[in-house]
Amino acid sequence: MTKKNDKEKESMNSFMVRNEKELKEHSKVMEHVSSNENVKKSGKIPDPEQHETKTDKDDK
């Protein structure tokens, strides 16, 4: 593979951050995000879970 192809492949990943600097910045932002529990306490409905497990489906 050429360097260009490596870059294209690398950019198609599903990572939220690309390096340690972005990780630190993202971590600071995430510290201020409300948990589902806090959202419920404030009388709001939290976002639904994005992935159901087999046991979640069996409970419904």
Side-chain angles (χ1 to χ4, degrees):
M1 267 189 185
T2 65
K3 263 207 184 283
K4 182 179 179 186
N5 287 340
D6 287 341
K7 289 273 187 199
E8 287 174 8
K9 184 176 181 182
E10 187 176 313
S11 67
M12 294 178 65
N13 66 33
S14 61
F15 295 109
M16 294 181 79
V17 296
R18 292 176 288 210
N19 54 43
E20 189 175 351
K21 180 182 176 187
E22 286 184 9
L23 176 63
K24 288 178 181 179
E25 291 172 3
H26 186 71
S27 297
K28 288 179 185 177
V29 170
M30 293 304 292
E31 287 177 0
H32 301 287
V33 174
S34 297
S35 67
N36 280 352
E37 187 176 320
N38 290 340
V39 172
K40 287 178 186 176
K41 284 180 183 177
S42 69
K44 298 178 182 175
I45 300 172
D47 289 335
E49 291 187 28
Q50 294 191 16
H51 301 283
E52 291 184 351
T53 62
K54 184 176 183 331
T55 56
D56 290 338
K57 290 178 184 176
D58 293 341
D59 291 339
K60 290 182 180 177

